[in-house]
Coordinates of all heavy atoms in Angstrom, one line a residue:
A1 N 92.6 57.1 42.3 CA 92.7 58.5 42.0 C 93.3 58.9 40.7 O 93.1 59.9 40.2 CB 93.6 59.1 43.1
S2 N 93.9 57.9 40.0 CA 94.5 58.0 38.8 C 93.6 57.9 37.5 O 93.9 58.1 36.5 CB 95.7 57.2 38.6 OG 95.3 55.8 38.5
T3 N 92.3 57.6 37.9 CA 91.4 57.4 36.7 C 90.5 58.8 36.6 O 90.2 59.4 37.5 CB 90.5 56.2 37.0 OG1 89.7 56.0 35.8 CG2 89.6 56.3 38.2
G4 N 90.0 59.0 35.4 CA 89.1 59.9 35.0 C 87.6 59.5 34.9 O 86.8 60.2 34.6
V5 N 87.5 58.3 35.3 CA 86.1 57.6 35.3 C 85.4 57.9 36.6 O 85.9 57.9 37.7 CB 86.3 56.0 35.1 CG1 84.9 55.4 35.1 CG2 87.1 55.7 33.9
H6 N 84.1 58.3 36.4 CA 83.2 58.6 37.5 C 82.8 57.3 38.1 O 81.8 56.6 37.5 CB 82.0 59.3 37.1 CG 82.2 60.7 36.6 ND1 82.9 61.0 35.5 CD2 81.9 61.9 37.1 CE1 83.0 62.3 35.3 NE2 82.4 62.9 36.3
T7 N 83.2 56.8 39.2 CA 82.9 55.5 39.8 C 82.6 55.7 41.4 O 83.4 56.3 42.0 CB 84.0 54.5 39.7 OG1 84.3 54.5 38.3 CG2 83.6 53.1 40.1
I8 N 81.5 55.0 41.8 CA 81.1 55.1 43.2 C 80.9 53.6 43.5 O 80.2 52.9 42.8 CB 80.0 56.0 43.4 CG1 79.9 56.2 44.9 CG2 78.8 55.5 42.8 CD1 78.9 57.4 45.2
F9 N 81.2 53.2 44.7 CA 81.0 51.8 45.2 C 80.2 51.9 46.4 O 80.5 52.7 47.4 CB 82.3 51.1 45.6 CG 83.2 50.9 44.4 CD1 84.2 51.8 44.1 CD2 83.1 49.7 43.6 CE1 85.0 51.5 43.0 CE2 83.9 49.5 42.6 CZ 84.9 50.4 42.2
L10 N 79.0 51.2 46.3 CA 78.1 51.2 47.5 C 77.9 49.8 48.0 O 78.1 48.8 47.3 CB 76.7 51.7 47.1 CG 76.6 53.1 46.4 CD1 75.3 53.4 45.8 CD2 77.0 54.1 47.4
D11 N 77.6 49.7 49.3 CA 77.3 48.3 49.8 C 75.8 48.0 49.7 O 75.1 48.8 49.1 CB 77.7 48.2 51.3 CG 77.1 49.0 52.3 OD1 76.0 49.6 52.0 OD2 77.6 49.2 53.4
R12 N 75.3 46.9 50.2 CA 73.9 46.5 50.1 C 73.0 47.4 50.8 O 71.8 47.5 50.5 CB 73.7 45.1 50.6 CG 74.5 44.1 49.8 CD 74.0 42.7 49.8 NE 72.7 42.4 49.5 CZ 72.1 42.4 48.3 NH1 72.9 42.7 47.3 NH2 70.9 42.1 48.1
D13 N 73.5 48.2 51.7 CA 72.6 49.2 52.4 C 72.7 50.6 51.8 O 72.3 51.6 52.3 CB 73.0 49.3 53.9 CG 72.9 48.1 54.7 OD1 71.8 47.3 54.5 OD2 73.7 47.7 55.4
L14 N 73.3 50.6 50.5 CA 73.5 51.8 49.8 C 74.4 52.9 50.5 O 74.3 54.1 50.3 CB 72.2 52.6 49.4 CG 71.3 51.7 48.5 CD1 70.0 52.3 48.2 CD2 72.0 51.3 47.2
C15 N 75.3 52.3 51.3 CA 76.3 53.2 52.0 C 77.6 53.2 51.2 O 78.0 52.2 50.5 CB 76.7 52.6 53.4 SG 75.3 52.7 54.5
L16 N 78.2 54.3 51.2 CA 79.4 54.7 50.3 C 80.5 53.9 50.9 O 80.8 53.8 52.1 CB 79.6 56.1 50.4 CG 80.9 56.7 49.7 CD1 80.6 56.6 48.2 CD2 81.0 58.1 50.1
R17 N 81.2 53.2 50.0 CA 82.4 52.4 50.3 C 83.8 53.1 49.8 O 84.7 53.1 50.5 CB 82.3 50.9 50.0 CG 81.3 50.2 50.7 CD 81.7 50.1 52.2 NE 80.7 49.9 53.1 CZ 80.5 50.5 54.3 NH1 81.4 51.3 54.7 NH2 79.5 50.3 55.0
K18 N 83.7 53.3 48.5 CA 84.9 54.0 47.8 C 84.3 54.8 46.7 O 83.2 54.6 46.2 CB 85.7 52.9 47.1 CG 86.4 51.9 48.1 CD 87.5 51.1 47.5 CE 86.9 50.0 46.7 NZ 88.0 49.0 46.2
F19 N 85.2 55.7 46.2 CA 84.8 56.6 45.1 C 86.0 57.1 44.4 O 87.0 57.3 45.0 CB 83.7 57.7 45.5 CG 84.4 58.6 46.6 CD1 85.0 59.8 46.3 CD2 84.1 58.3 47.9 CE1 85.5 60.6 47.2 CE2 84.6 59.1 49.0 CZ 85.3 60.3 48.6
T20 N 85.8 57.5 43.2 CA 86.9 58.2 42.4 C 86.8 59.8 42.6 O 85.7 60.2 42.8 CB 86.9 57.8 40.9 OG1 85.7 58.3 40.4 CG2 87.1 56.3 40.9
P21 N 87.8 60.4 42.3 CA 87.7 62.0 42.4 C 86.6 62.5 41.5 O 86.0 63.5 41.9 CB 89.2 62.4 42.0 CG 90.0 61.2 42.4 CD 89.2 60.0 42.1
K22 N 86.5 62.0 40.3 CA 85.5 62.5 39.4 C 84.0 62.4 39.9 O 83.2 63.3 39.8 CB 85.6 61.8 38.0 CG 86.8 62.3 37.2 CD 86.5 63.8 36.8 CE 87.5 64.3 35.8 NZ 87.3 65.7 35.5
I23 N 83.7 61.3 40.5 CA 82.4 61.2 41.1 C 82.2 62.0 42.3 O 81.1 62.5 42.6 CB 82.0 59.6 41.4 CG1 80.5 59.5 41.4 CG2 82.6 59.2 42.6 CD1 79.7 59.7 40.1
A24 N 83.3 62.3 43.0 CA 83.3 63.1 44.2 C 82.7 64.5 43.8 O 82.0 65.1 44.6 CB 84.7 63.2 44.8
E25 N 83.1 65.0 42.6 CA 82.6 66.2 42.1 C 81.1 66.3 41.9 O 80.4 67.2 42.3 CB 83.2 66.7 40.8 CG 84.7 66.9 40.9 CD 85.4 67.0 39.6 OE1 84.7 67.1 38.6 OE2 86.7 67.0 39.5
T26 N 80.6 65.1 41.4 CA 79.2 65.0 41.1 C 78.3 64.9 42.3 O 77.2 65.3 42.3 CB 79.0 63.7 40.2 OG1 79.9 63.8 39.0 CG2 77.5 63.6 39.7
F27 N 78.9 64.2 43.3 CA 78.0 63.9 44.6 C 78.5 64.8 45.7 O 78.1 64.6 46.8 CB 78.1 62.5 44.9 CG 77.1 61.6 44.1 CD1 77.5 61.1 43.0 CD2 75.9 61.3 44.6 CE1 76.6 60.3 42.1 CE2 75.0 60.6 43.9 CZ 75.4 60.1 42.7
N28 N 79.5 65.6 45.5 CA 79.9 66.5 46.6 C 80.5 65.7 47.7 O 80.2 65.9 48.9 CB 78.9 67.5 47.1 CG 78.3 68.4 46.1 OD1 79.0 69.0 45.3 ND2 77.0 68.3 45.9
L29 N 81.4 64.7 47.4 CA 81.9 63.8 48.4 C 83.2 64.2 49.0 O 84.0 64.7 48.2 CB 82.0 62.3 47.8 CG 80.7 61.7 47.2 CD1 81.1 60.4 46.5 CD2 79.7 61.5 48.3
Q30 N 83.4 63.8 50.2 CA 84.7 64.1 50.9 C 85.1 62.7 51.5 O 84.3 61.8 51.7 CB 84.5 65.1 52.0 CG 84.0 66.4 51.7 CD 85.0 67.1 50.7 OE1 86.2 67.1 51.1 NE2 84.6 67.7 49.8
P31 N 86.3 62.5 51.8 CA 86.8 61.2 52.3 C 86.1 60.7 53.6 O 85.9 59.6 53.8 CB 88.3 61.4 52.6 CG 88.7 62.4 51.6 CD 87.5 63.3 51.5
Q32 N 85.7 61.7 54.4 CA 85.0 61.4 55.6 C 83.6 60.9 55.4 O 82.9 60.5 56.4 CB 85.0 62.5 56.7 CG 84.4 63.8 56.2 CD 85.4 64.8 55.4 OE1 86.3 64.3 54.9 NE2 85.0 66.0 55.5
D33 N 83.1 60.9 54.1 CA 81.7 60.5 53.9 C 81.5 59.0 53.7 O 80.4 58.5 53.6 CB 81.2 61.2 52.5 CG 81.0 62.7 52.7 OD1 80.6 63.1 53.8 OD2 81.3 63.4 51.8
V34 N 82.7 58.3 53.6 CA 82.7 56.8 53.5 C 81.8 56.3 54.8 O 82.0 56.7 55.9 CB 84.1 56.2 53.5 CG1 84.0 54.7 53.6 CG2 84.7 56.6 52.2
G35 N 80.8 55.4 54.4 CA 80.0 54.9 55.4 C 78.6 55.5 55.4 O 77.7 54.9 55.9
R36 N 78.5 56.6 54.9 CA 77.2 57.4 54.9 C 76.3 56.8 53.7 O 76.9 56.4 52.7 CB 77.3 58.9 54.7 CG 78.0 59.5 55.9 CD 78.1 61.0 55.9 NE 76.8 61.6 55.6 CZ 76.6 62.8 55.0 NH1 77.7 63.4 54.6 NH2 75.4 63.3 54.8
R37 N 75.0 56.8 53.9 CA 74.1 56.4 52.8 C 74.1 57.4 51.6 O 74.2 58.6 51.8 CB 72.7 56.1 53.3 CG 72.4 54.9 54.1 CD 71.1 54.8 54.6 NE 70.0 55.0 53.5 CZ 69.5 54.0 52.7 NH1 69.9 52.8 52.9 NH2 68.6 54.3 51.8
I38 N 74.0 56.9 50.4 CA 74.0 57.7 49.3 C 72.8 58.7 49.2 O 73.0 59.8 48.6 CB 74.0 56.8 48.0 CG1 74.4 57.6 46.7 CG2 72.7 56.1 47.8 CD1 75.8 58.2 46.7
D39 N 71.7 58.4 49.8 CA 70.6 59.4 49.8 C 70.8 60.6 50.8 O 70.0 61.5 50.8 CB 69.3 58.7 50.1 CG 69.3 57.9 51.5 OD1 70.3 57.8 52.1 OD2 68.2 57.4 51.7
H40 N 71.9 60.6 51.4 CA 72.3 61.8 52.3 C 73.1 62.8 51.5 O 73.4 63.9 52.1 CB 73.1 61.3 53.5 CG 72.3 60.5 54.5 ND1 72.8 59.9 55.5 CD2 71.0 60.2 54.5 CE1 71.9 59.3 56.1 NE2 70.8 59.4 55.6
F41 N 73.4 62.6 50.3 CA 74.2 63.5 49.5 C 73.3 64.2 48.4 O 72.4 63.6 47.9 CB 75.3 62.8 48.7 CG 76.2 62.1 49.7 CD1 76.0 60.7 49.9 CD2 77.1 62.7 50.4 CE1 76.9 60.0 50.8 CE2 78.0 62.1 51.3 CZ 77.9 60.7 51.5
T42 N 73.7 65.5 48.1 CA 73.1 66.2 46.9 C 74.0 65.7 45.7 O 75.2 65.4 45.9 CB 73.2 67.7 47.1 OG1 74.5 68.1 47.3 CG2 72.3 68.1 48.3
Y43 N 73.5 65.7 44.6 CA 74.2 65.4 43.4 C 73.7 66.3 42.2 O 72.6 66.7 42.2 CB 74.1 63.9 43.1 CG 72.7 63.3 43.1 CD1 72.0 63.3 41.9 CD2 72.2 62.7 44.3 CE1 70.7 62.8 41.9 CE2 70.9 62.2 44.3 CZ 70.2 62.2 43.1 OH 68.9 61.7 43.1
T44 N 74.5 66.3 41.2 CA 74.2 67.1 40.0 C 73.6 66.3 38.9 O 73.3 66.9 37.8 CB 75.5 67.8 39.5 OG1 76.4 66.9 39.1 CG2 76.0 68.7 40.6
I45 N 73.4 65.0 39.0 CA 72.7 64.2 38.1 C 71.2 64.6 38.0 O 70.6 64.5 39.0 CB 72.9 62.7 38.3 CG1 74.4 62.3 38.2 CG2 72.1 61.8 37.3 CD1 74.8 60.9 38.6
D46 N 70.8 64.8 36.8 CA 69.4 65.2 36.7 C 68.5 64.1 36.3 O 68.1 63.8 35.2 CB 69.2 66.3 35.6 CG 67.9 67.0 35.6 OD1 67.1 66.9 36.6 OD2 67.5 67.5 34.5
H47 N 68.4 63.2 37.3 CA 67.6 61.9 37.2 C 66.9 61.6 38.5 O 67.5 61.1 39.4 CB 68.5 60.8 36.7 CG 67.8 59.4 36.6 ND1 66.6 59.3 35.9 CD2 68.0 58.2 37.1 CE1 66.2 58.0 36.0 NE2 67.1 57.4 36.8
P48 N 65.6 62.0 38.6 CA 64.9 61.7 40.0 C 64.8 60.3 40.4 O 64.7 60.0 41.5 CB 63.5 62.4 39.7 CG 63.6 63.0 38.4 CD 64.8 62.7 37.7
G49 N 65.0 59.4 39.5 CA 64.9 57.9 39.8 C 66.2 57.3 40.1 O 66.2 56.0 40.1
L50 N 67.2 58.0 40.4 CA 68.5 57.4 40.6 C 68.5 56.5 41.8 O 69.0 55.3 41.8 CB 69.5 58.5 40.8 CG 70.9 58.0 41.2 CD1 71.6 57.2 40.1 CD2 71.8 59.2 41.6
L51 N 67.9 56.9 42.9 CA 67.9 56.0 44.1 C 67.0 54.8 43.9 O 67.3 53.7 44.3 CB 67.5 56.9 45.3 CG 68.3 57.9 45.8 CD1 67.7 58.8 46.8 CD2 69.7 57.4 46.1
A52 N 65.9 54.9 43.1 CA 65.1 53.8 42.8 C 65.8 52.8 42.0 O 65.7 51.6 42.2 CB 63.8 54.3 42.1
D53 N 66.6 53.3 41.0 CA 67.5 52.4 40.2 C 68.5 51.6 41.0 O 68.7 50.5 40.8 CB 68.1 53.2 39.1 CG 67.4 53.6 38.0 OD1 66.2 53.2 37.8 OD2 67.8 54.5 37.2
L54 N 69.1 52.3 41.9 CA 70.1 51.7 42.8 C 69.4 50.6 43.6 O 69.9 49.5 43.7 CB 70.8 52.7 43.7 CG 71.6 53.8 43.0 CD1 72.1 54.7 44.1 CD2 72.8 53.1 42.4
Q55 N 68.2 50.9 44.2 CA 67.5 49.9 44.9 C 67.1 48.7 44.1 O 67.1 47.5 44.5 CB 66.3 50.4 45.6 CG 65.5 49.6 46.5 CD 66.5 49.1 47.7 OE1 67.0 49.9 48.4 NE2 66.5 47.8 48.0
A56 N 66.7 49.0 42.9 CA 66.3 47.9 41.9 C 67.3 46.9 41.6 O 67.1 45.7 41.6 CB 65.8 48.5 40.6
V57 N 68.6 47.4 41.6 CA 69.7 46.4 41.4 C 69.8 45.5 42.6 O 70.1 44.3 42.4 CB 71.0 47.2 41.2 CG1 72.3 46.3 41.2 CG2 70.9 48.0 39.9
L58 N 69.5 46.0 43.7 CA 69.6 45.1 45.0 C 68.4 44.1 44.9 O 68.6 42.9 45.4 CB 69.5 46.0 46.2 CG 70.7 46.8 46.5 CD1 70.5 47.7 47.7 CD2 72.0 46.0 46.6
D59 N 67.2 44.6 44.4 CA 66.1 43.7 44.4 C 66.0 42.6 43.4 O 65.3 41.6 43.5 CB 64.8 44.5 44.3 CG 64.6 45.5 45.5 OD1 65.3 45.3 46.6 OD2 63.9 46.5 45.3
R60 N 66.8 42.8 42.3 CA 66.8 41.8 41.2 C 68.2 41.8 40.7 O 68.9 42.8 40.6 CB 65.7 42.1 40.2 CG 65.9 43.3 39.4 CD 64.8 43.6 38.3 NE 65.2 44.7 37.4 CZ 64.9 45.9 37.7 NH1 64.5 46.3 38.9 NH2 65.2 46.9 36.8
P61 N 68.6 40.7 40.0 CA 70.0 40.5 39.5 C 70.2 41.2 38.2 O 71.4 41.1 37.7 CB 70.1 39.1 39.4 CG 68.7 38.5 39.2 CD 67.7 39.5 39.8
A62 N 69.4 42.0 37.7 CA 69.6 42.6 36.3 C 70.2 44.0 36.6 O 69.7 44.8 37.4 CB 68.3 42.8 35.5
P63 N 71.2 44.4 35.8 CA 71.8 45.7 36.0 C 71.0 46.7 35.4 O 70.1 46.4 34.5 CB 73.1 45.6 35.1 CG 73.0 44.4 34.2 CD 71.9 43.5 34.9
V64 N 71.1 48.0 35.8 CA 70.4 49.1 35.2 C 71.4 50.1 34.5 O 72.4 50.4 35.1 CB 69.6 49.9 36.3 CG1 69.0 51.2 35.8 CG2 68.6 49.0 37.0
E65 N 71.0 50.4 33.3 CA 71.9 51.3 32.6 C 71.1 52.4 32.0 O 70.0 52.2 31.4 CB 72.6 50.6 31.4 CG 73.7 51.3 30.7 CD 74.4 50.6 29.6 OE1 75.3 49.7 30.0 OE2 74.2 50.8 28.5
R66 N 71.6 53.7 32.2 CA 70.8 54.9 31.8 C 71.7 56.0 31.2 O 72.9 56.1 31.8 CB 70.1 55.5 32.9 CG 69.1 54.7 33.7 CD 67.7 55.2 33.7 NE 66.9 54.5 34.5 CZ 66.1 53.5 34.1 NH1 66.0 53.3 32.8 NH2 65.3 52.8 34.9
Q67 N 71.3 56.7 30.2 CA 72.0 57.8 29.8 C 71.3 59.0 30.4 O 70.1 59.2 30.3 CB 72.0 57.9 28.2 CG 72.8 59.0 27.8 CD 72.9 59.1 26.3 OE1 72.5 58.1 25.6 NE2 73.5 60.1 25.6
V68 N 72.0 59.8 31.1 CA 71.4 61.0 31.9 C 72.3 62.2 31.7 O 73.4 62.1 31.2 CB 71.3 60.6 33.4 CG1 70.3 59.5 33.7 CG2 72.7 60.4 34.0
R69 N 71.8 63.3 32.0 CA 72.6 64.5 32.0 C 72.8 65.1 33.5 O 72.0 64.9 34.3 CB 71.8 65.6 31.2 CG 71.8 65.3 29.8 CD 71.4 66.5 28.9 NE 71.3 66.2 27.5 CZ 72.4 66.0 26.7 NH1 73.6 66.4 27.2 NH2 72.2 65.7 25.4
D70 N 73.9 65.8 33.6 CA 74.0 66.5 34.9 C 73.5 67.8 34.8 O 73.1 68.2 33.7 CB 75.4 66.5 35.4 CG 76.5 67.3 34.5 OD1 76.0 68.1 33.6 OD2 77.7 67.1 34.7
R71 N 73.5 68.7 35.8 CA 72.8 70.0 35.7 C 73.6 71.0 35.0 O 73.1 72.1 34.8 CB 72.5 70.4 37.2 CG 71.5 69.5 37.8 CD 70.9 70.1 39.1 NE 70.0 69.0 39.6 CZ 70.0 68.4 40.7 NH1 71.1 68.6 41.5 NH2 69.1 67.5 41.1
R72 N 74.9 70.6 34.5 CA 75.6 71.5 33.7 C 75.4 71.1 32.2 O 76.0 71.7 31.3 CB 77.1 71.3 34.0 CG 77.4 71.8 35.4 CD 78.9 71.6 35.8 NE 79.0 71.4 37.1 CZ 79.7 70.4 37.7 NH1 80.2 69.4 37.0 NH2 79.6 70.3 39.1
G73 N 74.6 70.1 31.9 CA 74.3 69.7 30.6 C 75.2 68.6 30.1 O 75.0 68.2 28.9
N74 N 76.1 68.1 30.9 CA 76.9 67.0 30.4 C 76.2 65.7 30.3 O 75.5 65.4 31.2 CB 78.2 66.9 31.4 CG 79.0 68.1 31.4 OD1 79.4 68.7 30.4 ND2 79.4 68.5 32.6
C75 N 76.5 64.9 29.3 CA 75.8 63.6 29.1 C 76.6 62.6 29.8 O 77.9 62.5 29.7 CB 75.7 63.3 27.7 SG 74.7 61.9 27.3
L76 N 76.0 61.7 30.7 CA 76.6 60.7 31.4 C 75.9 59.4 31.2 O 74.7 59.3 31.1 CB 76.6 61.0 32.9 CG 77.2 62.3 33.4 CD1 76.8 62.6 34.8 CD2 78.7 62.3 33.3
L77 N 76.7 58.3 31.2 CA 76.1 57.0 31.1 C 76.4 56.3 32.5 O 77.5 56.2 32.9 CB 76.8 56.1 30.1 CG 76.4 54.7 29.9 CD1 74.9 54.6 29.5 CD2 77.2 53.9 29.0
Y78 N 75.3 55.9 33.2 CA 75.6 55.2 34.4 C 75.0 53.8 34.4 O 74.0 53.5 33.8 CB 75.0 56.0 35.6 CG 73.6 55.9 36.1 CD1 73.2 54.7 36.8 CD2 72.6 56.8 35.7 CE1 71.9 54.6 37.1 CE2 71.3 56.7 36.1 CZ 70.9 55.6 36.9 OH 69.7 55.4 37.2
T79 N 75.8 52.9 35.0 CA 75.5 51.6 35.1 C 75.5 51.2 36.5 O 76.5 51.4 37.2 CB 76.5 50.7 34.3 OG1 76.5 51.2 32.9 CG2 76.1 49.2 34.3
S80 N 74.4 50.5 36.9 CA 74.3 49.9 38.3 C 74.3 48.5 38.2 O 73.3 47.9 37.6 CB 73.1 50.5 39.0 OG 73.1 51.9 39.0
D81 N 75.2 47.8 38.7 CA 75.1 46.4 38.8 C 75.9 45.8 40.0 O 76.6 46.4 40.6 CB 75.6 45.6 37.5 CG 77.0 46.0 37.1 OD1 77.9 46.1 37.9 OD2 77.2 46.1 35.9

């Protein structure tokens, strides 16, 4: 809770395990959402391939890194590994 970094932790089934308050704003997350799949949430990241990137990390050992924008125009760097 003390970090300003947007971080989300998912398990191998793409279910939410932990998250920081900043990413909660981006994915509209609440504490009771832990255990739900990430594809059940709306998010403000303007990148239609987000879920495919997450799945790609599970399918191969290489991380995925992208620079994307949210719907407010903020630039974000996301890394999936």
Side-chain angles (χ1 to χ4, degrees):
S2 64
T3 183
V5 177
H6 293 69
T7 306
I8 192 166
F9 296 92
L10 304 172
D11 65 17
R12 295 200 58 75
D13 296 319
L14 299 179
C15 291
L16 182 64
R17 290 293 157 222
K18 295 191 280 186
F19 58 92
T20 62
K22 282 295 190 183
I23 200 72
E25 297 169 13
T26 303
F27 280 84
N28 304 307
L29 300 174
Q30 301 293 318
Q32 61 269 23
D33 291 327
V34 170
R36 293 181 58 206
R37 282 183 50 94
I38 194 67
D39 55 355
H40 291 173
F41 301 101
T42 59
Y43 50 89
T44 62
I45 295 173
D46 191 18
H47 176 54
L50 177 64
L51 296 175
D53 284 347
L54 295 174
Q55 188 61 51
V57 170
L58 295 175
D59 295 341
R60 66 180 191 279
V64 173
E65 186 173 290
R66 302 236 189 264
Q67 186 173 353
V68 297
R69 292 198 180 274
D70 67 12
R71 294 191 181 121
R72 294 179 210 125
N74 298 314
C75 188
L76 305 168
L77 175 67
Y78 86 80
T79 303
S80 302
D81 60 39

